[in-house]
Amino acid sequence: QVQLVESGGGLVQAGGSLRLSCAASGPIFSINAMGWYRQAPGKQRELVATISSGGVTNYADSVKGRFTIFRDNAKKTVWLQMNSLKPEDTAVYYCNADLLVLGGYKYLEFWGQGTLVTVSS
C-alpha cells in the first residue's frame, strides 16, 4: 500500500532551523505534485509549499524567503527546509502527494501522518 512517511519534526528555538522529509513508498507509478501543509491548534490546515514534478515551487506568503521545498523524483522524497523559524510556525506538518498507483487510471491525493514542529520563543 502507498505510504507517505514524514520525519524531522521537533522542538526548536525561535530563529532556528529544521528540515522535514517525506518519503513515498509502495506501488507507485508516478508522482505529480508534492507538498507540505500545516495545521496549528484550533486552526484549519493550510498550504505551506508545493513543488511540481518539474520543480516549479509555490509558497505561502508567510513562509516565503524562510522555507525551501525541494524533491528527488528518483527517491520519491520531498523535503522542507525551514529557517528563521517563528513561534507562529508551530503546527503539525503534513506531507501531501498527488500520485498514480500501479494499475491505476487517475492521480489520487495521499497524506502523511503528520510531524509536530514546535518553535519556542
Side-chain angles (χ1 to χ4, degrees):
Q1 95 191 33
V2 173
Q3 285 188 309
L4 299 180
V5 179
E6 300 125 331
S7 61
L11 173 64
V12 64
Q13 287 189 329
S17 297
L18 280 176
R19 178 177 292 187
L20 306 182
S21 66
C22 170
S25 64
I28 299 168
F29 180 78
S30 175
I31 303 178
N32 194 3
M34 302 184 81
W36 291 93
Y37 291 70
R38 67 186 181 187
Q39 187 167 18
K43 294 188 176 182
Q44 289 189 329
R45 190 174 297 189
E46 63 177 4
L47 179 146
V48 176
T50 62
I51 184 167
S52 72
S53 57
V56 177
T57 58
N58 178 53
Y59 295 94
D61 288 342
S62 59
V63 306
K64 281 181 182 176
R66 299 189 298 122
F67 291 10
T68 302
I69 187 170
F70 55 103
R71 65 190 280 178
D72 183 323
N73 291 333
K75 294 181 178 179
K76 300 185 180 66
T77 300
V78 62
W79 293 268
L80 184 69
Q81 177 66 41
M82 304 185 293
N83 298 329
S84 303
L85 283 161
K86 305 175 181 180
E88 51 263 44
D89 294 319
T90 295
V92 177
Y93 283 71
Y94 296 91
C95 176
N96 172 276
D98 189 36
L99 61 87
L100 181 64
V101 299
L102 285 171
Y105 64 94
K106 65 177 181 178
Y107 282 83
L108 299 174
E109 190 175 48
F110 287 80
W111 292 90
Q113 80 284 356
T115 184
L116 178 62
V117 172
T118 303
V119 184
S120 63
S121 58

Coordinates of all heavy atoms in Angstrom, one line a residue, residues 55-103:
G55 N 9.7 20.7 -10.8 CA 10.5 21.6 -9.9 C 9.9 23.0 -9.7 O 10.5 23.8 -9.1
V56 N 8.7 23.2 -10.2 CA 8.1 24.5 -10.0 C 7.6 24.6 -8.6 O 6.8 23.7 -8.2 CB 7.0 24.8 -11.0 CG1 6.3 26.1 -10.8 CG2 7.6 24.7 -12.5
T57 N 7.9 25.6 -7.9 CA 7.5 25.7 -6.5 C 6.5 26.8 -6.2 O 6.4 27.8 -7.0 CB 8.8 26.0 -5.6 OG1 9.4 27.2 -6.1 CG2 9.8 24.9 -5.7
N58 N 5.8 26.7 -5.1 CA 4.8 27.7 -4.7 C 4.8 27.7 -3.2 O 4.9 26.7 -2.5 CB 3.4 27.3 -5.2 CG 2.3 28.2 -4.8 OD1 2.4 29.4 -5.0 ND2 1.3 27.7 -4.1
Y59 N 4.8 28.9 -2.6 CA 4.9 29.1 -1.2 C 3.8 30.0 -0.6 O 3.4 30.9 -1.3 CB 6.3 29.7 -0.8 CG 7.5 28.9 -1.1 CD1 8.2 29.1 -2.3 CD2 8.0 28.0 -0.2 CE1 9.3 28.3 -2.6 CE2 9.1 27.2 -0.5 CZ 9.7 27.4 -1.7 OH 10.9 26.7 -2.0
A60 N 3.4 29.7 0.6 CA 2.5 30.6 1.3 C 3.3 31.9 1.6 O 4.5 31.8 1.8 CB 2.1 30.0 2.6
D61 N 2.6 33.0 1.6 CA 3.3 34.3 1.8 C 4.0 34.3 3.1 O 5.1 34.9 3.3 CB 2.3 35.4 1.7 CG 1.8 35.7 0.3 OD1 2.5 35.3 -0.6 OD2 0.8 36.4 0.2
S62 N 3.5 33.6 4.1 CA 4.0 33.6 5.5 C 5.4 32.9 5.6 O 6.1 33.2 6.6 CB 3.0 33.0 6.5 OG 2.8 31.7 6.1
V63 N 5.7 32.1 4.6 CA 7.0 31.4 4.7 C 8.0 31.7 3.6 O 9.1 31.3 3.6 CB 6.8 29.9 4.7 CG1 5.8 29.5 5.8 CG2 6.3 29.4 3.3
K64 N 7.6 32.6 2.7 CA 8.5 33.0 1.6 C 9.7 33.6 2.1 O 9.7 34.4 3.0 CB 7.8 34.0 0.6 CG 6.8 33.3 -0.3 CD 6.1 34.4 -1.2 CE 5.1 33.7 -2.2 NZ 4.4 34.7 -3.0
G65 N 10.9 33.1 1.6 CA 12.2 33.6 2.0 C 12.7 32.9 3.2 O 13.9 33.1 3.5
R66 N 11.9 32.1 3.9 CA 12.4 31.4 5.0 C 12.4 29.9 4.8 O 13.3 29.2 5.3 CB 11.5 31.7 6.2 CG 11.5 33.2 6.6 CD 10.8 33.4 8.0 NE 9.4 33.0 7.9 CZ 8.8 32.1 8.7 NH1 9.6 31.5 9.6 NH2 7.5 31.8 8.6
F67 N 11.4 29.4 4.1 CA 11.3 27.9 3.8 C 11.7 27.6 2.4 O 11.4 28.4 1.5 CB 9.9 27.5 4.1 CG 9.4 27.5 5.5 CD1 10.2 28.1 6.5 CD2 8.2 26.9 5.9 CE1 9.7 28.1 7.8 CE2 7.8 26.9 7.2 CZ 8.5 27.5 8.1
T68 N 12.2 26.5 2.2 CA 12.5 26.0 0.8 C 12.1 24.5 0.7 O 12.4 23.7 1.5 CB 14.0 26.0 0.5 OG1 14.5 27.4 0.7 CG2 14.4 25.6 -0.9
I69 N 11.3 24.3 -0.4 CA 10.9 22.9 -0.7 C 11.7 22.4 -1.9 O 12.0 23.1 -2.8 CB 9.4 22.9 -1.0 CG1 8.9 21.5 -1.1 CG2 9.0 23.7 -2.3 CD1 7.3 21.4 -1.2
F70 N 12.1 21.1 -1.8 CA 12.8 20.5 -2.9 C 12.5 19.0 -2.8 O 12.1 18.5 -1.8 CB 14.3 20.8 -2.8 CG 15.0 20.5 -1.5 CD1 15.8 19.3 -1.4 CD2 14.9 21.3 -0.4 CE1 16.5 19.0 -0.3 CE2 15.6 21.0 0.8 CZ 16.4 19.9 0.8
R71 N 12.8 18.4 -4.0 CA 12.5 17.0 -4.1 C 13.5 16.2 -4.9 O 14.2 16.8 -5.7 CB 11.1 16.8 -4.7 CG 10.9 17.3 -6.1 CD 9.5 17.3 -6.6 NE 9.0 16.0 -6.9 CZ 7.7 15.7 -7.3 NH1 6.9 16.7 -7.4 NH2 7.4 14.5 -7.7
D72 N 13.5 14.9 -4.7 CA 14.3 14.0 -5.5 C 13.3 13.0 -6.1 O 12.7 12.1 -5.4 CB 15.3 13.3 -4.7 CG 16.2 12.4 -5.5 OD1 15.8 11.7 -6.4 OD2 17.4 12.4 -5.2
N73 N 13.0 13.1 -7.4 CA 12.0 12.2 -8.0 C 12.4 10.8 -8.0 O 11.6 9.9 -7.8 CB 11.8 12.7 -9.5 CG 11.1 14.0 -9.5 OD1 10.3 14.4 -8.6 ND2 11.3 14.7 -10.6
A74 N 13.7 10.5 -8.2 CA 14.1 9.1 -8.1 C 13.9 8.5 -6.8 O 13.6 7.3 -6.7 CB 15.6 9.0 -8.6
K75 N 14.1 9.3 -5.7 CA 13.9 8.7 -4.4 C 12.5 8.9 -3.9 O 12.2 8.5 -2.7 CB 14.9 9.5 -3.4 CG 16.3 9.2 -3.7 CD 17.2 9.9 -2.7 CE 18.7 9.6 -2.9 NZ 19.6 10.3 -2.0
K76 N 11.6 9.5 -4.7 CA 10.3 9.7 -4.3 C 10.2 10.4 -2.9 O 9.4 10.1 -2.0 CB 9.5 8.4 -4.2 CG 9.4 7.7 -5.5 CD 8.5 6.4 -5.4 CE 8.4 5.7 -6.7 NZ 9.7 5.1 -7.1
T77 N 11.0 11.4 -2.8 CA 11.1 12.1 -1.5 C 11.1 13.6 -1.7 O 11.6 14.2 -2.7 CB 12.5 11.8 -0.8 OG1 12.5 10.3 -0.6 CG2 12.6 12.5 0.5
V78 N 10.4 14.3 -0.7 CA 10.3 15.8 -0.7 C 10.8 16.2 0.6 O 10.5 15.6 1.7 CB 8.9 16.2 -1.0 CG1 7.9 15.8 0.0 CG2 8.9 17.7 -1.2
W79 N 11.5 17.4 0.6 CA 12.0 18.0 1.9 C 11.4 19.4 2.0 O 11.1 20.0 1.0 CB 13.5 18.1 1.8 CG 14.2 16.7 1.9 CD1 14.7 16.1 3.0 CD2 14.6 16.0 0.7 NE1 15.3 14.9 2.6 CE2 15.3 14.8 1.2 CE3 14.5 16.1 -0.6 CZ2 15.8 13.8 0.4 CZ3 15.0 15.1 -1.5 CH2 15.6 14.0 -1.0
L80 N 11.4 19.8 3.3 CA 11.1 21.2 3.6 C 12.1 21.7 4.5 O 12.2 21.3 5.7 CB 9.7 21.3 4.2 CG 9.2 22.8 4.4 CD1 8.9 23.5 3.1 CD2 8.0 22.8 5.3
Q81 N 13.0 22.6 4.0 CA 14.0 23.3 4.8 C 13.4 24.5 5.4 O 12.9 25.4 4.7 CB 15.2 23.6 4.0 CG 16.3 24.4 4.7 CD 16.9 23.5 5.8 OE1 17.2 22.4 5.6 NE2 17.2 24.1 7.0
M82 N 13.4 24.6 6.7 CA 12.7 25.7 7.4 C 13.8 26.5 8.2 O 14.4 25.9 9.1 CB 11.6 25.2 8.4 CG 10.6 24.3 7.7 SD 9.2 23.8 8.8 CE 10.1 22.7 9.9
N83 N 14.0 27.7 7.9 CA 14.9 28.6 8.5 C 14.2 29.7 9.2 O 13.1 30.0 8.9 CB 16.0 29.1 7.5 CG 16.8 28.0 6.9 OD1 17.0 27.0 7.5 ND2 17.2 28.2 5.6
S84 N 14.9 30.4 10.1 CA 14.4 31.6 10.8 C 13.0 31.3 11.3 O 12.0 32.0 11.1 CB 14.3 32.8 9.8 OG 15.6 33.1 9.3
L85 N 12.9 30.2 12.0 CA 11.6 29.7 12.5 C 11.0 30.7 13.5 O 11.8 31.3 14.3 CB 11.6 28.3 13.1 CG 11.7 27.2 12.0 CD1 12.2 25.9 12.5 CD2 10.3 27.0 11.4
K86 N 9.7 30.8 13.5 CA 9.0 31.7 14.4 C 8.0 30.9 15.3 O 7.5 29.8 14.8 CB 8.2 32.8 13.6 CG 9.0 33.6 12.7 CD 8.2 34.5 11.9 CE 9.0 35.3 10.9 NZ 8.1 36.2 10.1
P87 N 7.6 31.4 16.4 CA 6.6 30.6 17.2 C 5.3 30.3 16.4 O 4.7 29.3 16.6 CB 6.4 31.6 18.4 CG 7.7 32.3 18.6 CD 8.2 32.5 17.2
E88 N 5.0 31.3 15.6 CA 3.7 31.0 14.8 C 3.9 29.9 13.7 O 2.9 29.6 13.1 CB 3.3 32.3 14.1 CG 4.3 33.1 13.3 CD 5.0 34.2 14.1 OE1 5.3 34.0 15.3 OE2 5.2 35.3 13.6
D89 N 5.1 29.4 13.5 CA 5.2 28.3 12.7 C 4.9 26.9 13.4 O 4.9 25.9 12.7 CB 6.7 28.2 12.2 CG 7.0 29.3 11.2 OD1 6.2 29.7 10.4 OD2 8.2 29.9 11.4
T90 N 4.6 27.0 14.7 CA 4.3 25.8 15.4 C 3.0 25.2 14.9 O 2.0 25.9 14.8 CB 4.1 26.2 16.9 OG1 5.4 26.6 17.4 CG2 3.6 25.0 17.7
A91 N 3.1 23.9 14.5 CA 2.0 23.2 13.9 C 2.4 21.8 13.7 O 3.5 21.4 13.8 CB 1.6 23.9 12.6
V92 N 1.4 21.0 13.3 CA 1.6 19.7 12.8 C 1.8 19.8 11.2 O 0.9 20.4 10.6 CB 0.5 18.7 13.1 CG1 0.8 17.3 12.4 CG2 0.4 18.5 14.6
Y93 N 2.9 19.3 10.7 CA 3.2 19.5 9.3 C 2.9 18.2 8.6 O 3.3 17.1 9.0 CB 4.6 19.9 9.1 CG 4.9 21.3 9.4 CD1 4.8 21.8 10.7 CD2 5.1 22.2 8.4 CE1 5.0 23.1 11.0 CE2 5.3 23.6 8.6 CZ 5.3 24.0 10.0 OH 5.5 25.4 10.2
Y94 N 2.1 18.3 7.5 CA 1.7 17.1 6.8 C 2.2 17.1 5.4 O 2.2 18.1 4.7 CB 0.1 17.1 6.7 CG -0.6 16.9 8.0 CD1 -1.0 18.0 8.7 CD2 -0.9 15.6 8.5 CE1 -1.6 17.9 9.9 CE2 -1.5 15.5 9.7 CZ -1.9 16.6 10.4 OH -2.6 16.5 11.6
C95 N 2.7 16.0 4.9 CA 3.2 15.8 3.6 C 2.0 15.4 2.7 O 1.1 14.7 3.1 CB 4.2 14.7 3.6 SG 4.8 14.2 1.9
N96 N 2.0 15.9 1.5 CA 0.9 15.6 0.5 C 1.5 15.2 -0.8 O 2.5 15.8 -1.2 CB 0.0 16.8 0.4 CG -1.0 16.7 -0.7 OD1 -0.7 17.0 -1.8 ND2 -2.2 16.3 -0.3
A97 N 0.9 14.3 -1.5 CA 1.4 13.9 -2.8 C 0.2 13.5 -3.7 O -0.7 12.8 -3.3 CB 2.4 12.7 -2.7
D98 N 0.3 13.9 -4.9 CA -0.6 13.6 -5.9 C 0.0 12.5 -6.8 O 0.9 12.8 -7.6 CB -0.9 14.9 -6.8 CG -2.1 14.7 -7.7 OD1 -3.1 14.0 -7.3 OD2 -2.0 15.3 -8.8
L99 N -0.5 11.3 -6.7 CA 0.3 10.2 -7.4 C -0.7 9.2 -8.0 O -1.8 9.1 -7.7 CB 1.2 9.6 -6.4 CG 0.7 8.9 -5.1 CD1 0.3 7.5 -5.4 CD2 1.7 9.0 -4.0
L100 N 0.0 8.5 -8.9 CA -0.7 7.4 -9.7 C -0.2 6.1 -9.2 O 1.0 5.8 -9.4 CB -0.5 7.6 -11.2 CG -1.1 6.7 -12.1 CD1 -2.7 6.8 -12.1 CD2 -0.7 6.9 -13.6
V101 N -1.0 5.3 -8.7 CA -0.6 4.0 -8.2 C -0.5 3.0 -9.4 O -1.1 3.2 -10.5 CB -1.5 3.4 -7.2 CG1 -1.6 4.3 -6.0 CG2 -2.9 3.1 -7.8
L102 N 0.3 2.0 -9.3 CA 0.5 1.0 -10.3 C -0.9 0.4 -10.6 O -1.6 -0.1 -9.7 CB 1.4 -0.1 -9.9 CG 2.9 0.3 -9.9 CD1 3.8 -0.8 -9.3 CD2 3.4 0.5 -11.3
G103 N -1.3 0.3 -11.9 CA -2.6 -0.2 -12.3 C -3.7 0.7 -12.2 O -4.8 0.4 -12.5

